[in-house]
Amino acid sequence: MAGAEPQIGGRIKRLRRQKGLSQAQLAETLEISASYLNLIEHNRRRITVPLLFRVAGYFGVEPGELAESDDGRLAGDLMELFGDDIFADSDLTNQDIRDLAANHPAVGRAVLKLFDQLKQFQRPEAHQEAPQSGYNLVTEAVSDFLQSEANYFPTLEAAAARVRADIDNAAEGFEQGLRTYLFNVFGIEVRLASLPTGVVRRMEEGGRVLAIADILEPESALFAMAQQAALLSAEAEIMALIEASTLPQPDSVGLARNVLASYVAAALIMPYEPFFIACRDTRYDIERIGRRFRASFEQVCHRMTTLQRPGMSGIPLHLVRTDIAGNISKRFSLSGIHIPRHSGACPRWNVYAAFLNPGQINVQVSQMPDGARYFCIARAETKGGHAYNAPKRHLSIGLGCSAAHADKMIYADGIDLNAPGGAVPIGVGCRICPRRECGQRAHPPADHRFPADDGQRMENLYMGVRSGPP
């Protein structure tokens, strides 16, 4: 039995669900049987070219968007996994891993899940006197969930549009209208308050008062208020998405609720169509858009990744957030670039160089070992610390796309995206990167062999390693 292209079935299912269609309804429209559509969606039948064009035409997307494979992201995750020290004696090649991702994606994802649980078990907190069971990496599960849905949720967009319409009808301005909405609909008064360190918002006085930390930046305070409104007004839609997902229950519910409520909050502050038009007209000028919608740099970047509405979609972007120690706390990719799952990214990536010039946008054309080029911007920011002696957090936000889409971004003006030698050579991570000439290696490649040459010492000890058996 021939298998379907690994990504097409999932994309068709996601588009069908976004339109609220059953398999029977879509099958009737496409003039095929529901059982045949079911097999396609579960990647058990290949889709014919004429049917591919009918599906693309119905959903208003390019056929190529449906046909693009997700093998690269899965293969990258698996390469990172098999680059771990526990597989040092394995004879797996990169081609073996790519074959696994392409031919048996379900097995590959199961292996990833097992490895995630192993990494969680290896963490010190997993060895307390009362160890937990299940050892799920909840953050990775939620990240995978967002990735599987292309970080676009039509039901949440609709919920946000409904609430925003009520607020706009009050003609008081968005912030005051949001306050009025919370009071009139839920009986909640919003107040600024001195809250304990680390607390952004808190319900007080029996749920009648929403206290917002008075040390927050205006954009963060507005977002905190919008997030509380989202939890109250879109609870049904949020829980329906969680219950229909494959997220581990109940471990991930709290985090998933928070993440999806943040999605609704962003959609409230930056409504889809006006925000999409602003991105298109300003060519993704983040600071200009932020001033228009009273949103922070990170909030605007994150919202840009959600522009996946069929017929009104933005650039396929990737987003990464890292701290100064290289810990990645947000990762999402529609651009095709691979962001490491368990380890830090390549030190040559501008998301790290941005720390050298905080507050400034750092621009980079980068090239992966396979030749793929990406256009990336990054900006480092300092958060917190608004009270005397309060600790600060140093984070860098990276946003980018395939070099093929870079001309749609204002930051690419004046840059030769195709200049020979003009791209910075980067990799996914040292353990799986084949660039032996890199002087910034922190680890040797997973299949390394050290040379027995005492007469020569390289700038970096790992530059002289070679691949393959001795």
Side-chain angles (χ1 to χ4, degrees), residues 73 116 139-148 331 341:
R73 187 173 64 87
D116 285 346
T139 54
E140 289 303 330
V142 173
S143 179
D144 288 343
F145 169 62
L146 296 178
Q147 186 74 47
S148 69
R331 65 182 185 94
R341 190 177 184 88

Side-chain angles (χ1 to χ4, degrees), residues 31-300:
E31 299 179 347
I32 60 175
S33 69
S35 59
Y36 181 41
L37 177 60
N38 181 66
L39 291 171
I40 290 174
E41 288 191 356
H42 287 85
N43 297 320
R44 295 175 61 189
R45 285 287 189 279
R46 290 192 182 276
I47 186 170
T48 64
V49 173
L51 181 56
L52 175 65
F53 275 82
R54 289 210 303 274
V55 172
Y58 177 74
F59 288 113
V61 299
E62 293 293 329
E65 294 181 42
L66 287 174
E68 286 175 356
S69 174
D70 198 33
D71 293 352
R73 187 173 64 87
L74 177 58
D77 282 343
L78 289 170
M79 285 182 185
E80 181 187 346
L81 180 161
F82 287 113
D84 192 87
D85 287 342
I86 63 174
F87 298 106
D89 295 329
S90 301
D91 293 326
L92 288 171
T93 66
N94 287 354
Q95 190 58 52
D96 293 332
I97 297 170
R98 292 191 186 96
D99 288 344
L100 173 61
N103 300 323
H104 305 285
V107 176
R109 284 188 287 270
V111 172
L112 278 180
K113 183 176 181 180
L114 181 62
F115 188 73
D116 285 346
Q117 292 178 337
L118 172 64
K119 298 298 284 187
Q120 177 72 358
F121 179 74
Q122 290 175 336
R123 294 171 65 181
E125 58 266 33
H127 299 282
Q128 304 296 330
E129 291 183 5
Q132 302 176 4
S133 61
Y135 304 116
N136 292 307
L137 273 176
V138 173
T139 54
E140 289 303 330
V142 173
S143 179
D144 288 343
F145 169 62
L146 296 178
Q147 186 74 47
S148 69
E149 299 296 325
N151 201 19
Y152 175 66
F153 299 92
T155 57
L156 300 187
E157 295 285 352
R162 182 185 68 242
V163 174
R164 181 69 193 232
D166 290 342
I167 292 171
D168 289 343
N169 286 337
E172 300 174 284
F174 177 68
E175 181 175 352
Q176 185 56 45
L178 182 56
R179 289 173 177 268
T180 301
Y181 175 84
L182 284 168
F183 186 79
N184 289 344
V185 178
F186 301 105
I188 295 174
E189 179 185 352
V190 179
R191 297 178 189 167
L192 294 179
S194 179
L195 298 179
T197 301
V199 178
V200 173
R201 58 177 170 80
R202 185 171 67 186
M203 296 302 299
E204 298 179 341
E205 298 185 21
R208 296 190 303 274
V209 172
L210 172 62
I212 303 290
D214 58 7
I215 61 172
L216 293 179
E217 296 285 354
E219 298 88 354
S220 298
L222 179 62
F223 194 88
M225 196 190 317
Q227 191 184 49
Q228 187 65 51
L231 285 168
L232 295 169
S233 62
E235 174 74 8
E237 290 86 351
I238 288 172
M239 291 310 299
L241 287 169
I242 294 172
E243 290 167 3
S245 74
T246 58
L247 287 167
Q249 303 279 347
D251 297 0
S252 61
V253 173
L255 178 60
R257 284 183 75 249
N258 184 278
V259 168
L260 294 178
S262 294
Y263 183 104
V264 178
L268 274 172
I269 296 170
M270 298 167 275
Y272 193 101
E273 187 168 348
F275 186 78
F276 170 81
I277 292 171
C279 289
R280 182 194 64 196
D281 292 350
T282 68
R283 298 178 58 223
Y284 291 78
D285 190 329
I286 299 167
E287 293 168 304
R288 184 176 174 186
I289 294 170
R291 287 192 293 272
R292 182 179 301 184
F293 290 93
R294 292 186 58 201
S296 70
F297 185 88
E298 181 178 352
Q299 290 166 7
V300 173

Side-chain angles (χ1 to χ4, degrees), residues 299-467:
Q299 290 166 7
V300 173
C301 288
H302 207 143
R303 182 59 168 151
M304 284 177 171
T305 69
T306 68
L307 297 179
Q308 302 303 316
R309 180 184 294 177
M312 192 184 289
S313 58
I315 301 172
L317 296 166
H318 64 255
L319 173 75
V320 62
R321 185 181 72 182
T322 180
D323 65 18
I324 204 165
N327 299 303
I328 294 175
S329 52
K330 282 186 181 180
R331 65 182 185 94
F332 173 75
S333 179
L334 283 183
S335 69
I337 201 169
H338 179 75
I339 303 171
R341 190 177 184 88
H342 292 297
S343 59
C346 177
R348 288 178 167 177
W349 202 357
N350 66 333
V351 73
Y352 297 117
F355 283 114
L356 300 176
N357 297 288
Q360 298 181 25
I361 292 179
N362 185 301
V363 177
Q364 182 184 68
V365 179
S366 55
Q367 183 167 320
M368 298 294 283
D370 64 0
R373 285 197 174 197
Y374 297 92
F375 179 75
C376 307
I377 65 169
R379 192 173 91 170
E381 300 184 322
T382 300
K383 296 192 175 185
H386 301 297
Y388 182 69
N389 279 341
K392 295 179 173 60
R393 294 179 295 139
H394 303 280
L395 300 170
S396 180
I397 313 299
L399 186 78
C401 62
S402 166
H405 297 290
D407 62 340
K408 298 182 178 69
M409 301 186 77
I410 196 169
Y411 307 103
D413 287 356
I415 296 176
D416 187 348
L417 299 167
N418 300 305
V424 176
I426 67 170
V428 175
C430 289
R431 294 186 188 278
I432 62 174
C433 181
R435 298 190 189 278
R436 294 170 53 196
E437 73 283 1
C438 178
Q440 291 184 258
R441 276 194 171 278
H443 302 280
D447 59 349
H448 73 280
R449 297 292 183 272
F450 284 101
D453 184 1
D454 295 333
Q456 176 175 273
R457 173 64 162 85
M458 303 296 291
E459 174 188 1
N460 183 304
L461 180 62
Y462 302 129
M463 289 179 69
V465 301
R466 60 185 175 82
S467 300

